[in-house]
Amino acid sequence: MLAPISWRVPPRHYGPWELFASLLTEGLVSRGVDVTLFATGDSVTAARLSSVVPRSWSEDDDIDPKVAECLHIASVFERAGEFDLIHNGFDFLPLTYSGLVDTPVLTTIHGFSSPRIVPVYARYDDRTSYVSISDADRHPDLTYLATIHHGIDTDAFSLHADPGDHLLFYGRIHPDKGAAQAIALARRVGRPLILAGIVQDQAYFDQEVAPHLDDDRVRYLGPIGPDERDHLLGGAFALLHLIEFDEPFGLSVVEAMASGTPVIATRRGSMPELLDHGVTGFLVDGAEEAVAAVERVEGLDRSAIRAQAVRRFGKDRMVDEYLGAYERVVRAR
Amino acid sequence: MLAPISWRVPPRHYGPWELFASLLTEGLVSRGVDVTLFATGDSVTAARLSSVVPRSWSEDDDIDPKVAECLHIASVFERAGEFDLIHNGFDFLPLTYSGLVDTPVLTTIHGFSSPRIVPVYARYDDRTSYVSISDADRHPDLTYLATIHHGIDTDAFSLHADPGDHLLFYGRIHPDKGAAQAIALARRVGRPLILAGIVQDQAYFDQEVAPHLDDDRVRYLGPIGPDERDHLLGGAFALLHLIEFDEPFGLSVVEAMASGTPVIATRRGSMPELLDHGVTGFLVDGAEEAVAAVERVEGLDRSAIRAQAVRRFGKDRMVDEYLGAYERVVRAR
């Protein structure tokens, strides 16, 4: 299991790719699969851990990201002969080593940060098996083995007896994620808003978020660790996920659902695959529909929302599907 | 021959690593060596050219440097079995592919851009043979096969009958290269100064260079192509190379010498290896010694300077030394 080294596995707060690697690795180990996790040295796992960097480059300025990443990736491929399969959860750079070893490589594509990275995936389309994380995120030039939606640890989330009347924004503070849209909507419907997540675009935060913070109606909590997540998500009236991009997957959407919290999301990217419109929340096009959706939230059954999340997005389902994919790849050799 | 793809081979103006790759490749081909040059698609060579990117990423914004570089490097190693030796002139990233192939790899280390890249070289110290470009640039943690000083095409430079009375700065406009020191020295000794080279640090240019430009006593010509280089270098009273870093090698220093132009250089890095103090120029510590050196320049014999450059820094000498190094590597297998 080749994890990224932007953050520890599992991440302390933000780090969706590292969270995925952790949940899948621990799930596989619990099924008796012999897994070696390639991740930062301070990672925590029941698998065998192999590390060439002590800490994530996001958390240690002495580490050059490019240096650490190529040493990290090479350390997997130099041991390729020991493994039946390499699961690449890192992004595109490992693909360029895959032609030099015989071990099958399965790659989870976590999204295309830019159209300029597609040529690498296209170049290695014959060499590696691609798994998309939503049907919406499939690129027409690539061949896919399967779409496997992420699973989460639904036991870490719970139905809250007495949720508040506030709306919640939970995600990276970046134009893609729609923090400004959430602030505008909360103001319009007259509800308080809590924002949480890392600041990924400081200029956007300074211009679009900071001026609205008043410690009362609009509050920003900063990044939130795993221990606070259940309380944060479960305590909200609804999660606002008014994204401005075709998001490949939305972990926070599924996590909110696991807490029984309805989600109001822009009808873009993977959202129609994750949300059952009128059951777990509402898909909206634009501000008018979002306002109407807030009014309909109270008609939803929060226990039914959680039940749906457990059924569709539990980690065991994800582990099952990856095990099936691994078997297909290994047998096809 | 694995060249960088920051610029075409040979470069149109700036691109010292690409210039090195070109001179060595053409020299090897002229000796009958069967060379495949991995470089941008618009490169010009008598060798077999292999390219995965049409143009350099510095000259095409549609190209993602990281994407282009890993595809470029992988394309060499995926064909490793066809070659007796891979000469890596690219920097550290190719080293991390070298453990996955059997072909010997010789790496010319063009310098350490940061101490944070040394761990990659250390990791592959046993796997690849390192060539330093000066004794001064050797890192104590690494094992070296040889130091091979760069050679240049000395035929492209010529002694100028009637050089001007102006001083010359020729290099990247960056604090390392001492443009500000050159301006101060020219002012102090009352001579005009011409500056030429790419702007690599715009803030430095704006603050330390631009305010002094007057189209008369201090002039900036911008980047200079190969066709203008002989005239630029040969026409100067002296080249000022008042560097503020331990430069691994100075191509412009050797090129100036090939035009018979004396060089006044800070006694740092490779300068004592390149300059014969009192013959081809002067090594100086600080501004006082630099002023004294300008006064002594007229005592130097410009034809003797050129003769020394031809003797010590001709490309044939470099090709001979690399052929010797290749033989040692291939025989040691």
Side-chain angles (χ1 to χ4, degrees):
Chain A
M1 185 69 64
L2 174 54
I5 53 171
S6 309
W7 304 100
R8 192 192 78 167
V9 173
R12 290 186 171 81
H13 46 88
Y14 179 74
W17 300 11
E18 290 80 1
L19 180 58
F20 162 76
S22 179
L23 281 170
L24 181 55
T25 298
E26 303 316 306
L28 291 168
V29 171
S30 74
R31 306 286 181 93
V33 181
D34 181 5
V35 183
T36 302
L37 173 67
F38 289 78
T40 62
D42 58 353
S43 292
V44 180
T45 181
R48 220 172 272 115
L49 179 65
S50 178
S51 309
V52 294
V53 284
R55 279 169 304 282
S56 75
W57 54 256
S58 300
E59 296 167 295
D60 187 339
D61 287 341
D62 288 339
I63 299 173
D64 179 292
K66 194 175 170 187
V67 164
E69 290 187 350
C70 67
L71 287 174
H72 173 63
I73 292 165
S75 77
V76 179
F77 286 94
E78 288 168 3
R79 293 178 53 190
E82 300 175 36
F83 308 119
D84 297 311
L85 181 113
I86 294 171
H87 185 160
N88 166 31
F90 186 99
D91 207 11
F92 67 81
L93 189 54
L95 299 176
T96 65
Y97 297 73
S98 68
L100 304 173
V101 303
D102 292 327
T103 309
V105 177
L106 180 146
T107 296
T108 297
I109 304 182
H110 285 287
F112 301 97
S113 55
S114 153
R116 302 194 304 177
I117 75 171
V118 175
V120 188
Y121 291 99
R123 167 73 183 80
Y124 292 94
D125 191 63
D126 289 343
R127 172 64 189 92
T128 166
S129 301
Y130 293 130
V131 171
S132 45
I133 62 173
S134 63
D135 289 337
D137 197 49
R138 289 196 169 199
H139 192 283
D141 292 353
L142 305 182
T143 313
Y144 289 89
L145 179 75
T147 289
I148 303 181
H149 287 145
H150 290 327
I152 62 169
D153 179 8
T154 53
D155 291 345
F157 301 89
S158 57
L159 204 59
H160 284 234
D162 192 19
D165 63 355
H166 63 276
L167 299 167
L168 175 66
F169 169 94
Y170 178 48
R172 297 175 284 124
I173 309 289
H174 182 282
D176 281 351
K177 289 286 201 169
Q181 285 74 10
I183 291 169
L185 179 62
R187 180 149 299 163
R188 218 171 130 181
V189 300
R191 286 183 181 270
L193 177 70
I194 290 176
L195 301 110
I198 63 165
V199 174
Q200 199 172 55
D201 183 328
Q202 188 66 46
Y204 176 75
F205 179 83
D206 294 345
Q207 286 158 33
E208 303 290 339
V209 176
H212 301 286
L213 301 180
D214 60 6
D215 244 353
D216 175 30
R217 302 298 290 176
V218 183
R219 290 192 294 145
Y220 171 59
L221 305 185
I224 290 296
D227 296 344
E228 304 160 278
R229 209 167 281 157
D230 179 36
H231 180 72
L232 177 78
L233 289 163
F237 180 71
L239 179 77
L240 300 183
H241 203 71
L242 304 174
I243 49 173
E244 293 278 304
F245 79 126
D246 295 327
E247 190 168 36
F249 196 88
L251 274 178
S252 60
V253 167
V254 175
E255 290 171 348
M257 286 160 52
S259 307
T261 297
V263 177
I264 298 171
T266 310
R267 190 190 296 278
R268 285 190 69 165
S270 60
M271 292 304 123
E273 294 174 55
L274 306 188
L275 269 186
D276 296 295
H277 184 76
V279 178
T280 55
F282 299 100
L283 297 163
V284 301
D285 288 313
E288 295 307 317
E289 287 190 23
V291 169
V294 174
E295 286 163 13
R296 293 176 62 195
V297 157
E298 263 170 318
L300 299 178
D301 175 355
R302 294 177 78 104
S303 65
I305 295 173
R306 171 162 165 83
Q308 185 76 328
V310 170
R311 191 156 49 235
R312 292 192 55 204
F313 298 105
K315 63 181 177 180
D316 284 341
R317 190 266 310 146
M318 173 175 74
V319 174
D320 287 341
E321 291 185 23
Y322 270 105
L323 276 171
Y326 295 164
E327 272 192 37
R328 285 172 58 196
V329 171
V330 171
R331 280 196 188 144
R333 277 202 81 195
Chain B
M1 184 71 64
L2 174 54
I5 54 171
S6 310
W7 305 98
R8 193 191 76 166
V9 173
R12 290 185 170 82
H13 46 87
Y14 179 74
W17 299 11
E18 289 81 1
L19 180 58
F20 162 76
S22 178
L23 281 171
L24 181 55
T25 297
E26 303 316 305
L28 291 167
V29 170
S30 74
R31 306 286 180 92
V33 181
D34 181 5
V35 183
T36 302
L37 173 66
F38 289 79
T40 62
D42 58 352
S43 292
V44 180
T45 180
R48 218 173 272 117
L49 179 65
S50 178
S51 308
V52 294
V53 285
R55 280 170 304 282
S56 75
W57 53 256
S58 300
E59 294 168 295
D60 187 339
D61 287 341
D62 288 339
I63 298 172
D64 180 291
K66 194 175 169 187
V67 164
E69 291 188 349
C70 69
L71 287 174
H72 173 64
I73 292 165
S75 77
V76 179
F77 286 93
E78 287 167 4
R79 293 178 55 191
E82 301 175 36
F83 308 119
D84 297 311
L85 180 114
I86 294 171
H87 185 161
N88 166 32
F90 186 100
D91 207 8
F92 67 82
L93 189 54
L95 299 176
T96 66
Y97 297 72
S98 68
L100 305 173
V101 303
D102 291 327
T103 309
V105 177
L106 179 146
T107 296
T108 297
I109 303 181
H110 286 288
F112 302 97
S113 55
S114 154
R116 302 194 304 177
I117 75 171
V118 174
V120 189
Y121 291 99
R123 168 74 183 81
Y124 293 94
D125 190 64
D126 289 342
R127 171 65 189 90
T128 168
S129 301
Y130 293 129
V131 171
S132 46
I133 61 174
S134 63
D135 289 336
D137 197 47
R138 290 197 167 197
H139 192 284
D141 292 351
L142 305 181
T143 313
Y144 291 87
L145 179 74
T147 289
I148 303 182
H149 287 144
H150 290 327
I152 62 170
D153 179 9
T154 54
D155 291 346
F157 300 88
S158 58
L159 204 59
H160 284 235
D162 192 20
D165 63 355
H166 63 277
L167 298 167
L168 175 67
F169 169 93
Y170 178 47
R172 296 174 284 126
I173 309 290
H174 182 282
D176 281 351
K177 289 286 203 170
Q181 285 74 9
I183 292 169
L185 179 61
R187 181 147 298 162
R188 220 172 128 181
V189 299
R191 286 183 181 270
L193 176 70
I194 289 176
L195 300 110
I198 63 165
V199 174
Q200 200 173 57
D201 184 327
Q202 188 66 48
Y204 176 75
F205 179 83
D206 294 344
Q207 286 159 33
E208 304 289 339
V209 177
H212 301 285
L213 301 180
D214 60 7
D215 243 353
D216 175 32
R217 303 298 291 176
V218 183
R219 292 192 295 144
Y220 171 59
L221 305 185
I224 289 297
D227 296 344
E228 304 160 279
R229 207 167 284 158
D230 178 36
H231 179 73
L232 177 77
L233 289 164
F237 181 72
L239 179 77
L240 300 184
H241 203 71
L242 304 174
I243 50 173
E244 293 279 303
F245 79 126
D246 294 327
E247 190 168 37
F249 196 87
L251 274 177
S252 60
V253 166
V254 175
E255 290 172 347
M257 285 160 51
S259 307
T261 297
V263 178
I264 298 171
T266 309
R267 189 189 297 279
R268 285 190 69 164
S270 59
M271 292 305 123
E273 294 174 55
L274 306 188
L275 270 185
D276 296 295
H277 184 77
V279 178
T280 56
F282 299 100
L283 297 164
V284 300
D285 288 313
E288 295 307 318
E289 287 191 26
V291 169
V294 175
E295 286 162 12
R296 294 176 61 196
V297 158
E298 264 172 318
L300 299 179
D301 175 355
R302 292 178 79 104
S303 64
I305 294 173
R306 172 162 166 81
Q308 185 76 328
V310 170
R311 190 157 50 237
R312 290 193 55 204
F313 297 105
K315 62 181 177 180
D316 285 342
R317 190 266 312 147
M318 174 176 72
V319 174
D320 287 341
E321 290 186 22
Y322 271 106
L323 277 171
Y326 295 165
E327 272 191 36
R328 284 173 60 196
V329 171
V330 172
R331 281 197 186 144
R333 278 200 82 194

